[in-house]
Amino acid sequence: MNKSTHARWLAKQLPLWVKDGLINDQQADSIQQRYPYNESLLSGRMMINTAAAIMVGLGVIALFAFNWQLMPKLMKLAIIFSALAGVHVAGFKTADSHPLLSETLHALGTMFMGAAIFLVSQIYHLSSHYPNAFILWSAGALAIAWAKPSVKQAFMALILIMTWHLTEIFDFNHPNSEAFPVLIFTVLPLVWVLKSPVLARLTATSLLVSIGFSASWIHDDMTVLVLLLLSACFIYYHDLIKSLSTDLLQHDIGAEMAKPSTVLFIVLMFLFSFPDLLDNLKLAKIESPIALVYLVSFLAISQLLFFTNAIKRHTSAISKLMQITILLVLLPSIVDYYFLPDSFRDVSHLVSILFNILILGASIVLMLDGSRNGNRKRMINGGILLGVLVFMRFADLFDNLIVRGIAFVLTGLFLFWVSRRLGNHSAGEKS
Amino acid sequence: MSLSPARKKLLILAIAFQVISVAVIALAREIILVTGSPVTLQTAPIDPRDLFRGDYVRLDYLFNKVPVQLLSQQVKNEGIHKGSVVYLKLKQAPGGVYHAEKLALQKPDGLYLKGHTSVDWLSSYYLKNPEKASADEYTRSQPLQVKYGIERYYVEQGKGKAIEKRRGLGVNRNTNFQTPMLVHARLSSSGEAVISDYSWSNLGFLTKIAKSPERDAPDEQASAIMQFSIKNLSDTPLQIPLKPGNCSFDLITSGYDFDPQKQLQTGRDECIDTQASLTRLDPQQSMDFEFNLNNPAWIFKNNKKMQPLGRLPWNYRLRIVYNGDSFDGQQGQIISRAFHARGNVD
């Protein structure tokens, strides 16, 4: 159970505890303030209402897309604009008395805004750059997300901005490097305003996807480096917020933002265990100014966060591993190009071997630590890491079948040991 | 949780933004429709479907591919990046439709369309080094692709196919006449166009190969004999001024850069001093014209070497176009589909 789930459980328990006389009102309030639970997070009912609003909105878009020839232009415009304004006014009127209904009506209104954009384009036969429709639509959703503030509208804005970004990239081969700052300045602050861990995770994922695709279009070889440094920013931020804040919700937000980066980091570690990828990382070859701006910014922010955490002595194991990775990737790409003579340039193999050792070490540490502390999740993750590493190296590292056989037997025996520890731990829990 | 008065004000502003931002788009187009200059443009459409907006006919104008000879000297010298704003000066041709006259980076006088280039014209190396731009020979043989924001006409779902068929698409193009679609639009003073309506030309055209050249034919028989037919689709007879010997028609290039005036031998000796006489074309009646492209008059000077049209590379497409005087009731340009002289119709 994560912290927000605990907080939700606690919020439901507190009135019962007061009723049973276990605590008084004042104590209940103090506990509530210490472990706040924001009801505007996605509840089941809210999810269904959002889905309903989106379905109705899409239905209206499809109905207008039929393009009724018998219906005069002015009537079509009057209907869609009345619907757009009408549901928003109804949402406004019910904001105090029926907040959930009000949220749903505003979500429907934003869907109608999309319908209105496409209807106007249809009526006037507009064929200009269609991703512009999505960015305008997202601006409408953002306006309400900030005004209310509203989680639903923030989600809609996030989806629309990403639709704009991906259509620019895939339909128009445009790197659209503007999408990243749009997300940073318009959606990311909403994560803290709305205190929504779910929005935090989705926004962090969108930022990684956005910069990843832009980078691959601007300068393919820099993609990995940009993703690594941005992931470092999220992971180091999580450490920082844990040391700075006592608010569990803030911890949750930091954790959710770090999750996609952690997954990506593990994938990158495996990629770095291949020398080919490292061969292409030559900083001096990056000519694009925008690519360099992003790289330098992410590097500066990540290092600022890391050393702030280091001074406060609040650096997690994954942050340390991340920092070693950054050094291992960055240093050779600089040194390799500028200082080594041609015949000594091939340091990529050495670095890739170091990454193999790092993954091996990380998997063993995870399993041993998990085993020692009875943390089943850590043990399983460590086992998966080790298994994937051995399978990857099976094909390309051990040419000698005897060495390959021994490596697999040893790994298998080690995993048996982990399994046995897991079994013992389960038995201990039951007894 | 109730909203504070400040939040309520912000919410009202946000709602107003949603309504007004879309209304402004509609209003701007409505103003152009009321106050803009009317123009008629001739198209060749196809019919895909838009996920959000339903059926539409894709309108493909001849000036979506601007031939190099119509580009301004600045564009030719320096090249142009994808997405750049360009201005296409229009001129009215016989039949009332508007054609491309010149494409430039600056607003011209008179009527013009504002567009955006769809591709880089000149490769990225030459765009960064304009002093060497003349060396990019490949791109220099390509037309500049431009979009003007009037490339779609939305119709009720299911109606797009009927328009497509009437245009001669999705049917046997060797037996069915193609009816040009005439798009009526209004142009704002800034070159922005809004489509108001469309109509059909009263003339239908059929372009086909009358005789393909034999394989391994000698140079003098390497080109096809093309047949171009015109049909009167209206209810009234038309009187078309025609010169003998097909002298009322020219061969023009279809987008790709070779300057017809310099490279295509169009001055046919037999056409000097020929006079046009009115030829009656009754309703539903058609006339056929045969063009033997082996005629020595149709010689192409490729790299200063005389070449038969049938020996040109495959991207060198041609069209037959009526060059005679306009006549009463003419609607749109009389022009064939693009073809290659070896015997291949687009």
Side-chain angles (χ1 to χ4, degrees):
Chain A
M1 205 158 47
N2 64 31
K3 288 170 191 128
S4 63
T5 318
H6 278 297
R8 185 172 56 193
W9 173 82
L10 189 63
K12 284 180 182 169
Q13 290 296 313
L14 284 175
L16 300 175
W17 294 353
V18 173
K19 194 178 167 189
D20 294 345
L22 295 173
I23 53 173
N24 60 35
D25 284 343
Q26 206 174 358
Q27 288 167 324
D29 286 344
S30 304
I31 295 171
Q32 183 78 76
Q33 276 173 13
R34 180 149 195 181
Y35 303 102
Y37 170 64
N38 187 349
E39 281 194 333
S40 69
L41 298 178
L42 288 181
S43 65
R45 200 175 156 203
M46 194 171 167
M47 289 274 278
I48 293 168
N49 276 332
T50 310
I54 290 171
M55 293 282 279
V56 171
L58 287 173
V60 170
I61 291 174
L63 280 173
F64 276 106
F66 183 81
N67 198 359
W68 310 85
Q69 273 183 352
L70 291 176
M71 195 187 290
K73 176 172 73 176
L74 280 178
M75 189 186 282
K76 285 182 192 171
L77 289 171
I79 289 173
I80 195 67
F81 279 108
S82 313
L84 168 59
V87 289
H88 273 312
V89 169
F92 183 79
K93 293 272 183 199
T94 52
D96 293 341
S97 54
H98 300 87
L100 190 61
L101 175 66
S102 166
E103 275 281 297
T104 306
L105 286 169
H106 284 305
L108 192 59
T110 299
M111 288 304 292
F112 283 171
M113 184 198 179
I117 293 170
F118 291 113
L119 182 73
V120 166
S121 310
Q122 188 191 65
I123 287 174
Y124 297 101
H125 309 286
L126 304 183
S127 62
S128 55
H129 202 63
Y130 80 90
N132 292 348
F134 290 105
I135 195 66
L136 176 66
W137 194 0
S138 71
L142 274 171
I144 295 187
W146 276 99
K148 277 209 82 160
S150 158
V151 178
K152 271 183 191 177
Q153 299 284 339
F155 279 125
M156 290 167 95
L158 190 60
I159 291 166
L160 290 168
I161 291 170
M162 288 309 287
T163 309
W164 162 64
H165 182 50
L166 296 177
T167 49
E168 284 280 5
I169 284 180
F170 292 111
D171 282 6
F172 294 91
N173 295 323
H174 172 223
N176 202 28
S177 46
E178 303 84 2
F180 187 80
V182 166
L183 287 169
I184 286 279
F185 292 113
T186 62
V187 183
L188 191 62
L190 277 171
V191 168
W192 289 282
V193 170
L194 293 159
K195 295 189 173 79
S196 167
V198 184
L199 184 64
R201 190 197 290 195
L202 285 179
T203 307
T205 308
S206 302
L207 284 165
L208 289 166
V209 170
S210 155
I211 201 68
F213 277 118
S214 292
S216 67
W217 247 255
I218 295 168
H219 191 110
D220 196 21
D221 292 341
M222 67 168 266
T223 312
V224 165
L225 211 49
V226 166
L227 287 175
L228 180 72
L229 293 173
L230 181 60
S231 299
C233 294
F234 286 127
I235 290 170
Y236 297 166
Y237 170 76
H238 183 210
D239 281 355
L240 185 73
I241 207 74
K242 275 196 294 188
S243 68
L244 285 182
S245 173
T246 53
D247 185 347
L248 284 181
L249 204 57
Q250 292 293 344
H251 291 198
D252 260 6
I253 287 171
E256 292 297 327
M257 288 183 94
K259 269 181 189 169
S261 296
T262 308
V263 173
L264 182 66
F265 172 50
I266 292 164
V267 173
L268 289 176
M269 289 263 289
F270 278 109
L271 290 177
F272 291 139
S273 69
F274 293 94
D276 295 354
L277 184 75
L278 292 160
D279 270 343
N280 294 326
L281 288 177
K282 304 283 186 286
L283 282 181
K285 287 187 179 173
I286 297 173
E287 291 175 351
S288 159
I290 188 114
L292 285 172
V293 166
Y294 278 130
L295 272 178
V296 172
S297 309
F298 295 158
L299 182 63
I301 295 168
S302 64
Q303 295 313 293
L304 185 70
L305 289 169
F306 181 81
F307 287 107
T308 310
N309 290 334
I311 291 164
K312 289 176 177 289
R313 299 184 176 212
H314 209 288
T315 311
S316 63
I318 192 161
S319 290
K320 286 172 188 161
L321 196 59
M322 173 66 97
Q323 191 66 6
I324 294 169
T325 302
I326 291 173
L327 290 175
L328 278 177
V329 172
L330 272 185
L331 282 180
S333 67
I334 298 168
V335 173
D336 190 39
Y337 194 84
Y338 289 110
F339 302 108
L340 292 179
D342 281 355
S343 52
F344 286 95
R345 278 196 170 179
D346 189 18
V347 291
S348 310
H349 274 91
L350 179 67
V351 177
S352 68
I353 291 168
L354 287 174
F355 272 108
N356 278 288
I357 295 168
L358 268 179
I359 299 168
L360 185 66
S363 65
I364 292 171
V365 167
L366 268 175
M367 284 190 285
L368 289 176
D369 188 50
S371 162
R372 207 175 294 129
N373 300 318
N375 188 329
R376 183 186 287 258
K377 204 173 164 185
R378 282 198 165 197
M379 288 176 83
I380 291 170
N381 286 343
I384 291 170
L385 267 185
L386 183 64
V388 174
L389 179 70
V390 173
F391 269 103
M392 273 171 47
R393 295 290 84 91
F394 181 84
D396 63 348
L397 197 62
F398 307 127
D399 286 339
N400 187 321
L401 283 176
I402 296 172
V403 179
R404 193 182 290 184
I406 292 169
F408 266 70
V409 168
L410 287 177
T411 313
L413 288 174
F414 188 67
L415 290 174
F416 272 132
W417 174 79
V418 172
S419 166
R420 193 158 165 267
R421 292 294 300 234
L422 271 172
N424 290 345
H425 179 66
S426 299
E429 271 183 351
K430 279 178 189 169
S431 66
Chain B
M1 194 175 67
S2 63
L3 289 174
S4 67
R7 287 267 172 222
K8 282 185 177 172
K9 281 178 190 165
L10 280 176
L11 188 55
I12 291 169
L13 285 176
I15 293 167
F17 170 76
Q18 284 205 356
V19 178
I20 292 169
S21 61
V22 189
V24 161
I25 300 173
L27 193 64
R29 268 66 192 179
E30 205 56 53
I31 289 170
I32 295 172
L33 281 178
V34 174
T35 62
S37 310
V39 289
T40 302
L41 308 161
Q42 193 164 326
T43 68
I46 55 169
D47 181 22
R49 178 172 299 171
D50 186 301
L51 182 66
F52 286 99
R53 288 180 270 178
D55 266 8
Y56 66 88
V57 178
R58 197 163 84 198
L59 307 173
D60 193 10
Y61 305 90
L62 286 178
F63 47 75
N64 281 132
K65 289 180 178 175
V66 183
V68 180
Q69 58 265 31
L70 296 187
L71 303 182
S72 71
Q73 205 55 45
Q74 187 186 0
V75 175
K76 279 193 214 174
N77 289 347
E78 297 168 13
I80 190 163
H81 284 280
K82 177 185 171 185
S84 303
V85 175
V86 288
Y87 299 95
L88 185 80
K89 186 170 168 57
L90 297 172
K91 68 172 177 186
Q92 197 169 23
V97 294
Y98 281 80
H99 293 179
E101 186 178 351
K102 196 79 186 170
L103 183 136
L105 299 176
Q106 292 80 30
K107 288 180 182 176
D109 296 329
L111 288 177
Y112 59 88
L113 274 170
K114 181 182 174 185
H116 290 87
T117 51
S118 323
V119 288
D120 282 345
W121 194 80
L122 295 192
S123 63
S124 54
Y125 171 78
Y126 293 109
L127 284 171
K128 283 180 192 163
N129 302 281
E131 70 282 358
K132 297 174 185 169
S134 60
D136 190 2
E137 287 179 8
Y138 173 74
T139 314
R140 289 190 164 280
S141 71
Q142 309 294 312
L144 175 63
Q145 293 180 37
V146 184
K147 298 275 184 198
Y148 304 92
I150 46 169
E151 282 79 14
R152 289 180 181 187
Y153 189 87
Y154 288 88
V155 293
E156 188 173 294
Q157 191 176 22
K159 300 282 170 71
K161 289 282 175 199
I163 295 175
E164 192 181 80
K165 274 191 172 180
R166 191 158 177 188
R167 283 294 293 121
L169 292 167
V171 293
N172 187 341
R173 285 181 287 177
N174 283 324
T175 54
N176 287 275
F177 277 79
Q178 191 177 34
T179 314
M181 189 176 173
L182 303 175
V183 170
H184 307 293
R186 293 275 182 161
L187 275 180
S188 75
S189 57
S190 60
E192 204 168 344
V194 180
I195 297 172
S196 54
D197 201 0
Y198 73 91
S199 63
W200 296 101
S201 168
N202 54 358
L203 289 168
F205 310 122
L206 185 68
T207 312
K208 65 180 185 182
I209 303 151
K211 186 171 182 274
S212 291
E214 298 288 332
R215 190 185 288 182
D216 306 325
D219 276 0
E220 58 272 17
Q221 290 167 27
S223 306
I225 298 172
M226 301 300 300
Q227 183 184 308
F228 181 54
S229 308
I230 303 173
K231 187 175 185 179
N232 181 357
L233 301 171
S234 71
D235 298 331
T236 53
L238 295 169
Q239 300 280 353
I240 306 175
L242 290 172
K243 294 176 183 176
N246 293 345
C247 288
S248 295
F249 295 92
D250 272 339
L251 277 187
I252 62 163
T253 60
S254 176
Y256 290 89
D257 177 37
F258 55 98
D259 190 335
Q261 286 175 344
K262 288 180 186 165
Q263 291 180 296
L264 193 63
Q265 184 74 47
T266 54
R268 282 173 290 161
D269 292 340
E270 68 266 29
C271 293
I272 300 169
D273 296 333
T274 51
Q275 296 296 317
S277 57
L278 291 177
T279 305
R280 183 185 167 97
L281 193 61
D282 285 323
Q284 302 308 312
Q285 188 192 352
S286 63
M287 282 189 292
D288 301 334
F289 304 90
E290 275 199 353
F291 293 82
N292 186 347
L293 302 179
N294 292 305
N295 182 338
W298 308 118
I299 287 291
F300 186 75
K301 297 173 209 163
N302 196 15
N303 297 326
K304 296 179 182 173
K305 187 181 156 195
M306 306 294 265
Q307 263 192 324
L309 293 180
R311 291 277 186 255
L312 291 174
W314 276 110
N315 62 341
Y316 282 61
R317 320 299 284 182
L318 300 160
R319 290 178 193 271
I320 296 163
V321 63
Y322 174 74
N323 66 8
D325 296 332
S326 60
F327 49 90
D328 285 347
Q330 184 185 353
Q331 294 173 355
Q333 190 183 22
I334 298 173
I335 189 165
S336 75
R337 300 216 312 269
F339 59 86
H340 189 272
R342 211 172 301 172
N344 176 277
V345 184
D346 286 354

